Amino acid sequence: MSHLRQSDPQVAELIQQESRRQASVLRLIPSENYASPAVMEATGSVLTNKYSEGYPFRRYYQGQEFIDLIEDIALKRARELFGAEHANVQPYSGSPANMAVYLGLLKPHDRVLGMDLAAGGHLTHGAKVSFSGKFYEVRQYGLSRSTGLVDYEAARAMAREFQPKLIFTGASSYPRTIDFSIFRQIADEVGAYLVADISHISGLCISGDHPHPLPHADVVTTTTHKLLRGPRGGMILCRGELAPKIDKAVFPGLQGGPHNHVTAAIAVALGEAARPDFTEYCHQVVRNAQALAQGLTDQGCQLVTGGTDNHLVLIDATPLGHTGKSLAVALERAGIVANANKIPFDPRPAEEPSGVRLGTPALTTRGMREAQMAQVAAFIGQVARDAGNATVLETVRGQVAELCAGFPAPGVAV
Ligand code: DSN
């Protein structure tokens, strides 16, 4: 960063400090990861200088001979990796990708059925505070109170009664497998589009650790920076016949010029995800999440649904004598970074919810395995028990730094 240091030492220094933070703490937010150095190089390239409104070989600006080839590579890799008929890699992130689906397939105030944010869904699946809950008529399905699993039959009954034009499946905080085939049946019964937002689990769908949303879903959306380890971006995959609607919704419906540097980095990340070591990485993410879940249970933590099938674990902090927020704050003091999150049927508000959400993608990228997950669980148990004891938190922080030093974070210069 020699140029940045010279031109803007203040920002350079803050980036350097963030690098040190990312290297020296345990990053357990399940939607975060470490992008590879190759992905970072593409993201920081001269492609940021170019406008390219339109799609490959059909642009509104000249000078696209290299940009077209780059986006074409990204599209081809996306189609091949997910077995999709059509791909669009231009959405700026996951929420704009979902917004483009609404814009492409619906008219304002059409009916949408999506998973409740409080049950682990996403803002863009119909939450009142989001565009999706404001511009569309929405009903929200959730979880079974007895099992904590998606209540498919309640969703089916709701769909029959409400007759939505589009059904969203997918979640941001759900530790179990989603059965896309049941949602396909429900969508067929009411004549709705089925959209699977696999932002959290896209890697697991590629590696076979989670059932694939295709061919069940008409449209699949995903971010590119979570398990996929790409740059911050979004992607839409769909059946060929929906391609014109989706592409027109992204551009010119919603966005202007694509972020070409991000497109190139997505191409790189998709190339990396096609390699066998990525499949092994995803298998390990799940093994690590299950080892973390077991370790936390051994430490006396109560987990939503008792464990996990995927990359994430949700602790109910209440039996530990915490709110999710108070536990997340104490964990951060000890160098363990997670996020406070609602648990199913949470009596507490979103600002001070009952749960803490943890995930293993970033630690697995550092090369940590089951033995380290047991250590991490022991740290978390210690912090939960002694959250008010600054000396204990400081001691754990030192142990965390020692553990992290043995597993260098790829692409993070310190
Ligand atoms: N904000 C993302 C997450 O943390 O899960 C979802 O979009």
Side-chain angles (χ1 to χ4, degrees), residues 29-32 93-95 98 120-124 171-173 197 199-200 223 225-226 232 311-312 339 341 357:
I29 293 173
S31 45
E32 293 184 353
S93 199
S95 294
N98 286 344
H122 188 256
L123 282 166
T124 56
S172 287
S173 185
D197 179 345
S199 294
H200 262 263
T223 47
H225 48 270
K226 295 187 174 91
R232 302 196 80 81
H311 64 304
L312 77 81
N339 70 283
N341 209 96
R357 191 180 65 147

Side-chain angles (χ1 to χ4, degrees), residues 18-101:
E18 171 63 10
S19 294
R20 280 192 214 108
R21 189 193 69 82
Q22 290 192 16
S24 64
V25 300
L26 291 166
R27 298 175 62 227
L28 281 154
I29 293 173
S31 45
E32 293 184 353
N33 213 328
Y34 294 96
S36 72
V39 164
M40 307 267 267
E41 279 178 11
T43 310
S45 70
V46 294
L47 302 183
T48 197
N49 297 337
K50 186 75 194 105
Y51 251 114
S52 309
E53 289 181 4
Y55 288 101
F57 316 110
R58 297 177 283 141
R59 305 279 188 185
Y60 290 84
Y61 291 71
Q62 298 310 115
Q64 309 293 347
E65 60 262 54
F66 305 113
I67 300 294
D68 278 349
L69 297 181
I70 288 167
E71 187 168 338
D72 207 40
I73 290 171
L75 293 171
K76 184 165 176 288
R77 289 181 183 172
R79 288 193 303 267
E80 281 177 7
L81 197 57
F82 288 93
E85 290 176 11
H86 181 72
N88 186 311
V89 293
Q90 293 194 4
Y92 297 144
S93 199
S95 294
N98 286 344
M99 197 178 228
V101 174

Side-chain angles (χ1 to χ4, degrees), residues 90 99 105 119 137 191 202 204 224 243 248 268 276 293 314 347 358 399:
Q90 293 194 4
M99 197 178 228
L105 303 185
E137 302 303 318
S202 51
L204 307 184
T224 52
K248 271 190 212 147
V268 174
L314 198 51
L358 307 165
Q399 292 166 334

Side-chain angles (χ1 to χ4, degrees), residues 188-209:
D188 283 343
E189 279 178 34
V190 300
Y193 290 115
L194 179 63
V195 182
D197 179 345
I198 59 165
S199 294
H200 262 263
I201 54 168
S202 51
L204 307 184
C205 296
I206 295 167
S207 66
D209 289 288

Side-chain angles (χ1 to χ4, degrees), residues 66-250:
F66 305 113
I67 300 294
D68 278 349
L69 297 181
I70 288 167
E71 187 168 338
D72 207 40
I73 290 171
L75 293 171
K76 184 165 176 288
R77 289 181 183 172
R79 288 193 303 267
E80 281 177 7
L81 197 57
F82 288 93
E85 290 176 11
H86 181 72
N88 186 311
V89 293
Q90 293 194 4
Y92 297 144
S93 199
S95 294
N98 286 344
M99 197 178 228
V101 174
Y102 284 86
L103 188 63
L105 303 185
L106 303 178
K107 290 199 269 316
H109 306 294
D110 273 351
R111 293 181 173 184
V112 174
L113 183 66
M115 183 148 152
D116 194 350
L117 182 65
H122 188 256
L123 282 166
T124 56
H125 299 182
K128 283 263 169 287
V129 292
S130 123
F131 78 91
S132 58
K134 290 184 193 296
F135 301 153
Y136 300 88
E137 302 303 318
V138 175
R139 289 270 173 90
Q140 303 246 269
Y141 59 87
L143 307 172
S144 150
R145 200 176 265 277
S146 57
T147 62
L149 303 179
V150 171
D151 193 339
Y152 296 98
E153 287 320 304
R156 187 191 301 274
M158 217 177 256
R160 282 183 182 155
E161 198 257 309
F162 185 53
Q163 295 288 310
K165 194 163 171 199
L166 186 150
I167 298 174
F168 252 100
T169 172
S172 287
S173 185
Y174 184 64
R176 295 296 180 179
T177 300
I178 295 174
D179 192 331
F180 296 121
S181 69
I182 300 182
F183 277 108
R184 178 72 265 164
Q185 290 165 9
I186 298 172
D188 283 343
E189 279 178 34
V190 300
Y193 290 115
L194 179 63
V195 182
D197 179 345
I198 59 165
S199 294
H200 262 263
I201 54 168
S202 51
L204 307 184
C205 296
I206 295 167
S207 66
D209 289 288
H210 190 286
H212 205 290
L214 295 173
H216 307 295
D218 300 293
V219 181
V220 174
T221 60
T222 181
T223 47
T224 52
H225 48 270
K226 295 187 174 91
L227 266 170
L228 276 181
R229 298 198 289 205
R232 302 196 80 81
M235 203 158 74
I236 305 175
L237 308 155
C238 65
R239 289 194 281 112
E241 70 191 76
L242 297 178
K245 288 178 194 271
I246 293 295
D247 284 355
K248 271 190 212 147
V250 175

Side-chain angles (χ1 to χ4, degrees), residues 23-24 26 363 366-368 372 375 398-409:
S24 64
L26 291 166
L363 298 194
R366 295 181 82 144
M368 294 188 193
Q372 287 73 45
Q375 265 180 287
Q399 292 166 334
V400 163
E402 209 173 302
L403 174 61
C404 288
F407 294 88

